[in-house]
Each structure stands twice: as structure tokens, then as C-alpha cells.
Amino acid sequence: MSLHHATHPSSASVVGFNHRRILRKEIMNSIFANGFPYSSKLSAHTSCVNALAFSSSDGRFLASGGDDFRTCIWDFHQEDVTTPVASLRGPRGNIFTLAFSATNRYLYSGGTDETVLKYDVSSFGSHLDTGTTKDPVRTFRAHDDTIRGITCHPYQEEIFLSASQDGRILLHDGRNNSPSARAQDTLQLTNEATGVQYHPIMEHIFVTSDSHGNVCLRDTRMAFGPLSTRTRQGVVQTYNTKLNRKTTAHLSKPEASSVVFDREGAKLAVTMLHYLPTIYGLSDPNPLAVCSGKYLPDGTPTSPPERGYSNSCTIKHGAFGGIGLDDDEFYSAGSEDFRGYVWRIPSLSELADRRVEISADDWASREWPNTIAFAEGLNAARFVPVDLSTPFCRLTGHKSIVNATLFHPHLPHIITCGIEKDIILHSPTPASPCVPNLERASTDVRVLSNYDDEDRSVYFRALAGMVPEEDSETSTIMMFDHILREEGEVDVFGVRRWSGDSDSSDEDVGVDSDDDDNGDLFAGH
């Protein structure tokens, strides 16, 4: 057999592969045509659960962390996932972020205690007794405020980035035993950092988000190292996050609470406070789509007392996923109507074709009712992204705000968590390889009343540290009910007014559209 025939598949085999792929997709689509009506609770935490992470590639282990200062490890190779197989000790504050390293040797956690804890979990795959507890093998104490994000290098086991509300993005190398961060490994932003993630394929590329709404794609070779070798704080792309409407004379720039890539790194989603999850193509600075809940999954309009997607009060983390498929064509996010939402994302080319670009003159001369556009300035062109207003499905079962959602990398499951102490596993079928008997989740969702004096009283008692331990979850839900009544219906243009003269942002160092660096970065990808 010649080398040529040994290394290149025949046209027949390619056609066969594509046919099997299409057939598998059709089968999976038929399975979850009715959404994810079945669920099972994963119960171990004693307070809010804020962070979720699946082990890289295989998805065998789920790590969860929250306000009880502990990380739980759940083994999805079990026939019935009911209790965690391990608990990780060490945090002295609420856990906000978790990340597995490239080959799952390490798990990192971070949160309000301003430290990153590193755990060696390499033995979990070979032998693990239920009830195992582990202490961290190393503690990184380089930050001075809450840690909002940790992301591991896609290939290098010891390298990771951390983002903190102290405004710093730190590059860590576990092979370096220095107790403090070196200046050459520190990227200082002008605002609180809210998120960071490595590109899943291009190892030098990462994305950051901050409290002033700046979302920037950066290159580690330009962002770190001696100051003399740095360029524009590593920025190779700045994404447009400013909003405008005809009835308001100013722009609004929502806080970017978190940011996430899909598995191929072709698109990213930004969670915006007081606004909608927004989808971008990697090399396109203007948004392609926003994800809303104007319609129910069956296409009927959402009408009171039914509430749609909203995000105004808590830190949210969304996720891309394929629901058992190879392509991340879905995006999921938690909402303050006590549900999780799943949207099917059309191809980037389709979204680009459907997006509307409006010249500044055309915007000024016409009414454009009920239209919110993105614009870099009042005199700039407007971009109206596609409104994915009909979610693929909604995830029910929670009694309060859903803060995080996560797709299993291979199984057709979505995991959600939030204000409650229970994690919920959602499934399209009543049985799965890891949970044999799932119950149909109730579609009834608790209605938030307009006013409750007892909730208000619980809120102020909580501020004074007087939350009763015997029923802390009920008190927590009541406290957030009060917060929702106070902050849940605010207008982003009223609370996030943007002025180019007053905003101090990293986008000032952004790259012009004709800069050669952009072409080099995206060539061939």
C-alpha cells in the first residue's frame, strides 16, 4: 500500500463518516426534541453553589463549589451519581471559579479569600473511595481581592491564568516556586477583572472581561514579559459592548460579568449585567446575536405574570455545548426567573448575514422603534444583532436564581446551580448511564410576589449577620427575593450610562481594524 493511500481516507470513507455523523445528529435531535424535562438533584452542599467545572475531555468528574467553602467532586462514571466521591478542603471564603488543568492532574479553585488553591487530583481516575478528602498541594496568594476567573493552558499542565477584582490578570507557572507574582507575569487592568479564558486551541490567545464592560482578546506574548517588550497590553481585538437606542441620547455599557469560548474557539459569549447574553465571532468585533426569552419554546409570546430571561442581581456563568454532539451549537445561561435557558445558535455565517448594519445617518433619520443596537460611539454605525428570542428549551426545578449552567462534554446532560444548595442534573430522557431513574421536573415556577415585608426583614438581618443556621436556604432565598424586587427591573440605560470622556477602559489600547496583527492572528483559523 502506498504512503498516499495509507494517510488519506478514500472519498467513500469520508462520505460514510459524514453520513454517520448526520445520522447521529438526527437521532440526538429526536431524543431532545422536547427539551430536558427530566432531572435529578445532586445534594451535598449546605449553601449557594456558584461554580461548576467538568474534567477536561472526558467529563468524568464534575467539580462544584460555593458559599460553604468546599469543593465537591462527583464521578459521572458511577451508575448512579447521588453523592460526591471526594471533598476538597482549604478555601476560607466563597468559591467563585473552578478549573481543571489540561490533563486533569490538577484542579484549581478561587473566590473571596483572594487565594488560588491547587489540588492534585491525578489519583481520582484510578482509585477513589467515597468520602475522600484532600488538602491543596499549593496556595497562590498573589491577589488582593476576590478571584473571579481561573483558566488553564490548553496544553501545558502547570500554566494557568487568574483574574481578580484587584484589576490584575496573573500568569502562573507551577514550576516557579516564587511565593509572589513577578512583575513580568502581571497584567494590570484599569478596572476590576471579571473573567478570563484561554482560547481552546491557540495557546497564546486569551480573552478578558471587566466591570466596565470591556471585552478584549489578548496575546500572552504581548501582554506579559518585560515592560519594554509589551504591546497594547496584549490586545489584538476589542469587542463592541456599547448599546444605543433612539429614545436615549447616550450610550450604555453594561458590566461584562463573564466570558466563555465554545470548544473550537470560533465564537464567544459575554454575560452582561442588566442585559442579554451576547454572541460574538472570534474575529468580528461586533456582536452577531443576543439571547432573549421574549417567546416561549413553543413560539408563543412571554406574557405576565410569566417572566423571561433576566440578569441584574448575581454573577452568572453561561456555557456552550453540543448536547452529546461534536459541535457546540447550543448556549445555556441561568436567569433570575428561576430557570435555566438553552438557545440553539445558528452558524456564524448565517448570523452575519442576518445581522443588520445601519449607518449613522440612517440611524439619525429614521425612528427604529423597539431597537437596541451596538455602536462604538454616537456618530458611528449601528449593528443590530440577531435576536434569538425563542429559546430551544427552558430548564426548571429551581426555587430561586440560577447562576451557572454547564453542558456535559459527551452525555446529553446540562448541570445547573444557583442560590439553592442543590445542583440539578437535567436530561432529555428518564434514564442515563450515570443516573438510572430521573423524575420529570415540574414546569411550575415559583411566582415572585410584588412585596413581602418578611423578605425585607430577612435581608436586613442578613446584612447584620443574623441569618439563622437552622433554615439558612429559606432565608437566603427570601433575601434574594428582596434584592430581585429592588434591582431586578432596572433599565440598563439608566444604571450603566457610558461617556467616552469619563470611562477609563482598556479598550483605549485596542487595535485598529487595519492593523496587521489582526490579519496574522486569524489567518488560517
Side-chain angles (χ1 to χ4, degrees), residues 264-284:
E264 298 296 332
K267 55 184 176 287
L268 60 151
V270 180
T271 305
M272 295 188 180
L273 191 65
H274 307 303
Y275 196 57
L276 304 173
T278 304
I279 310 296
Y280 296 81
L282 180 69
S283 58
D284 190 338

Side-chain angles (χ1 to χ4, degrees), residues 169-187:
I169 308 293
L170 299 183
L171 175 63
H172 305 265
D173 188 335
R175 296 164 294 188
N176 174 19
N177 293 320
S178 173
S180 58
R182 301 180 300 174
Q184 65 186 40
D185 298 327
T186 302
L187 173 62

